[in-house]
Amino acid sequence: MSQYQSAENIRQNLGRQISPVLIGRSRATELAARLYQIGAPSLFNLPLANGHLGEVASHIVNAAADGERNVIHFINAHCVNQIQRDDHYHKIIEETDILLPDGSGLRLAAGLSGSGKIDNLNGTDLFPHLCEQAAERNQSIFLLGGGPGIASTAAKNMRNTIPGLRFAGTQNGFFTKGTDDEIIQKINDSGASILLVGMGVPLQEKWIAKYRDQITVPVILGVGGLFDYYSGKIARAPLLVRKMGMEWGWRLAMEPGRLANRYIIGNTRFIAHAVKHAFVARGHAERYAAASKRTLDLSIALLALVLLGPLAAAICLLITMEDRGSPFYRQTRIGADGKPFKIWKFRSMYKNADERKAALTAQNDRDSVCFKMKNDPRITKVGKFIRRTSLDELPQILNILTGQMSVVGPRPALPCEVLSYEERERRRLNGKPGLTCTWQVSGRADIPFAQQVEMDLEYLEEQSILKDIKLITQTVPAVISGRGAY
């Protein structure tokens, strides 16, 4: 089988395009499956539930009645700001069963990023629907949070509004430090099927995450300052103001001293996060990065042609003089998305090297599909020098100029190697192959193949122009040292 036929086999086996593996969170609960329907929006790499308030409330209460365990949190502009600065809170949010979008800020972010329609499922509007559904299904609610008397007053007001509504108990959020176990026991003994925790972001999320395994209540929601509104402590904005998405302005006017930082500075910060997210979500960041990388590739390749042209000519002469063969060697390699291409190299082996490889297979010094010998008898005298100094790779500047390769990227593999790749190893093909890479500057062939794969995948996931420049500068001392070059 010819190398070209092998390459075609690769394309048939791997497909014409190998897409990056998309890793998403697994939603195990039935409630999550109902609320995270196909087409549900995603913002800031977080999936958001969709639906009308009454519909969402019904699903939540039904899950509680069935004893299905779920943790539900709300996401608004303030939460997004907190995620950027608090890794613990960010991790909790990522692992939450269900996230409900809250506020006009997320609608703005969705519009900027093209993520689709975002329903405003804020806790303050959801609460009465939740209470109505709980009354119909004979499910009881426990309120935890707020100042002394706030939760109990909110419960009383809602009972007066909704006949048949049952609250299993209330507890203010200012309980003595170290009494968490007592509070949890009180909640568990109440027999409630829904627990609302109103301690503010991110305290409530961290408290729920810490004690979730000890709490027997099926459904838990973090609801912020919800109880203050329904106790009458804080008045809600007029309906018209709410429909305009300006309730935050009303709250700021009511409590300017306490909320100025959150809404004036915080909203400005959130808009910056939203614009940044939209830049990535709409593909502008990827296109900009690709254009910048290509510009860097062309600049370095053209500069190398000018500066290293005389050296390349000298190498050509030495190779030809040694065995009268062509100074160049072309070989099929597998590039981005599994597409084959012909790589250019200075010939470092005798002319019959490919035919002699089969007899040497048992002497492979590598622990994988790659074939390497430290004392390969097929290598010429000139070849040993240009391999140790990596000058045999110099003609790949031509592959860079044609766009088949980049200066930095996973090294291009042989067709026979790719055919034996496992699924994870195939992800190396998600990026354009390079002249140098992370493991090339860290030990080259001395790096085990499995570690090379991990280094390549890490590069593809975190690549940037600054990282490329860093690896390029590290390539020179790596070449001089000759470590792992054979």
Side-chain angles (χ1 to χ4, degrees):
M1 180 182 292
S2 70
Q3 289 178 331
Y4 180 77
Q5 289 171 326
S6 297
E8 286 303 304
N9 272 350
I10 294 284
R11 295 183 68 174
Q12 292 171 9
N13 277 283
L14 302 184
R16 292 191 176 273
Q17 182 170 1
I18 299 176
S19 301
V21 175
L22 301 178
I23 303 175
R25 290 184 296 169
S26 175
R27 298 294 178 179
T29 69
E30 292 183 12
L31 174 59
R34 288 192 290 269
L35 295 182
Y36 285 94
Q37 299 172 356
I38 295 175
S42 175
L43 280 177
F44 305 101
N45 298 320
L46 298 170
L48 304 176
N50 239 344
H52 300 296
L53 287 165
E55 176 188 12
V56 171
S58 177
H59 285 316
I60 292 174
V61 173
N62 287 339
D66 293 340
E68 185 183 315
R69 291 173 66 83
N70 288 274
V71 172
I72 302 171
H73 289 310
F74 295 87
I75 289 292
N76 56 27
H78 177 60
C79 298
V80 171
N81 288 340
Q82 289 294 318
I83 284 171
Q84 309 301 322
R85 65 180 76 170
D86 188 334
D87 291 338
H88 183 202
Y89 172 64
H90 192 177
K91 186 174 186 296
I92 290 171
I93 290 300
E94 286 186 321
E95 295 176 351
T96 298
D97 296 309
I98 297 162
L99 297 174
L100 302 180
D102 171 8
S104 55
L106 291 194
R107 287 185 174 179
L108 171 65
L112 289 173
S113 65
S115 299
K117 181 179 178 294
I118 292 284
D119 289 313
N120 187 355
L121 300 176
N122 68 83
T124 313
D125 287 337
L126 181 65
F127 185 51
H129 293 276
L130 203 63
C131 290
E132 289 174 358
Q133 294 294 330
E136 288 185 14
R137 291 297 307 271
N138 195 30
Q139 300 300 303
S140 60
I141 302 173
F142 194 105
L143 305 184
L144 169 63
I150 295 296
S152 58
T153 302
K156 178 183 177 181
N157 291 343
M158 291 307 292
R159 275 196 303 264
N160 292 337
T161 304
I162 302 174
L165 176 61
R166 293 191 302 116
F167 284 94
T170 62
Q171 167 66 49
N172 74 71
F174 292 86
F175 46 85
T176 307
K177 184 178 181 180
T179 61
D180 298 85
D181 290 341
E182 297 175 20
I183 301 300
I184 292 170
Q185 190 61 52
K186 178 180 178 181
I187 294 169
N188 291 342
D189 291 343
S190 73
S193 58
I194 301 173
L195 170 63
L196 305 187
V197 182
M199 298 178 179
V201 174
L203 179 61
Q204 64 195 16
E205 286 81 7
K206 293 180 179 180
W207 190 90
I208 293 170
K210 183 177 181 179
Y211 295 111
R212 180 57 178 123
D213 291 340
Q214 300 177 36
I215 299 172
T216 59
V217 177
V219 176
I220 304 177
L221 293 88
V223 295
L226 183 147
F227 307 150
D228 288 334
Y229 294 107
Y230 286 93
S231 68
K233 179 183 178 182
I234 298 177
R236 288 206 70 182
L239 182 60
L240 179 60
V241 174
R242 280 182 266 160
K243 287 185 175 180
M244 293 171 60
M246 291 297 295
E247 188 168 14
W248 66 270
W250 171 273
R251 292 190 62 189
L252 176 61
M254 295 298 101
E255 300 180 86
R258 186 173 75 87
L259 297 176
N261 183 67
R262 172 171 173 173
Y263 286 122
I264 297 178
I265 298 176
N267 282 358
T268 302
R269 185 179 293 118
F270 171 76
I271 290 173
H273 292 316
V275 170
K276 179 181 178 181
H277 173 70
F279 190 70
V280 174
R282 288 187 178 273
H284 299 315
E286 186 176 350
R287 287 190 289 272
Y288 174 79
S292 299
K293 187 175 179 69
R294 183 61 179 151
T295 300
L296 181 66
D297 288 342
L298 288 173
S299 300
I300 292 177
L302 291 171
L303 181 63
L305 275 181
V306 174
L307 297 180
L308 301 178
L311 176 60
I315 293 173
C316 287
L317 180 62
L318 290 172
I319 294 172
T320 302
M321 289 174 60
E322 184 167 9
D323 67 355
R324 303 300 176 184
S326 169
F328 296 106
Y329 177 72
R330 295 192 71 190
Q331 186 180 49
T332 299
R333 296 292 180 99
I334 303 303
D337 302 326
K339 296 177 181 178
F341 70 100
K342 292 288 187 179
I343 195 172
W344 285 91
K345 299 184 74 172
F346 280 133
R347 184 170 57 85
S348 60
M349 291 185 175
Y350 290 104
K351 291 182 286 186
N352 63 345
D354 287 338
E355 289 78 9
R356 296 170 61 187
K357 179 180 177 181
L360 300 170
T361 302
Q363 301 179 51
N364 189 5
D365 289 326
R366 299 301 302 275
D367 61 349
S368 65
V369 297
C370 301
F371 180 83
K372 282 280 187 178
M373 285 183 65
K374 288 185 178 179
N375 296 302
D376 195 327
R378 301 173 299 161
I379 299 176
T380 64
K381 293 178 181 179
V382 175
K384 288 181 181 179
F385 171 74
I386 61 176
R387 278 190 168 219
R388 187 191 175 283
T389 56
S390 295
L391 290 173
D392 61 321
E393 313 284 0
L394 198 56
Q396 288 165 40
I397 292 173
L398 299 175
N399 293 113
I400 294 172
L401 289 173
T402 58
Q404 296 167 319
M405 290 178 62
S406 180
V407 174
V408 181
R411 289 294 295 155
L414 291 164
C416 60
E417 295 171 351
V418 177
L419 282 173
S420 63
Y421 276 1
E422 300 293 335
E423 181 178 349
R424 182 167 179 79
E425 294 162 353
R426 290 181 181 180
R427 291 170 60 190
R428 299 177 76 210
L429 307 179
N430 288 338
K432 189 179 291 187
L435 185 62
T436 187
C437 61
T438 310
W439 56 267
Q440 281 280 87
V441 303
S442 305
R444 283 184 272 191
D446 288 345
I447 305 293
F449 177 68
Q451 190 176 346
Q452 290 180 8
V453 171
E454 295 307 313
M455 287 180 168
D456 285 339
L457 296 186
E458 181 181 358
Y459 168 78
L460 291 174
E461 291 171 2
E462 302 175 1
Q463 60 181 311
S464 66
I465 293 299
L466 291 178
K467 192 165 189 174
D468 280 5
I469 293 173
K470 180 181 178 181
L471 288 172
I472 291 168
T473 57
Q474 290 175 333
T475 298
V476 176
V479 167
I480 294 173
S481 73
R483 179 188 170 194
Y486 55 87

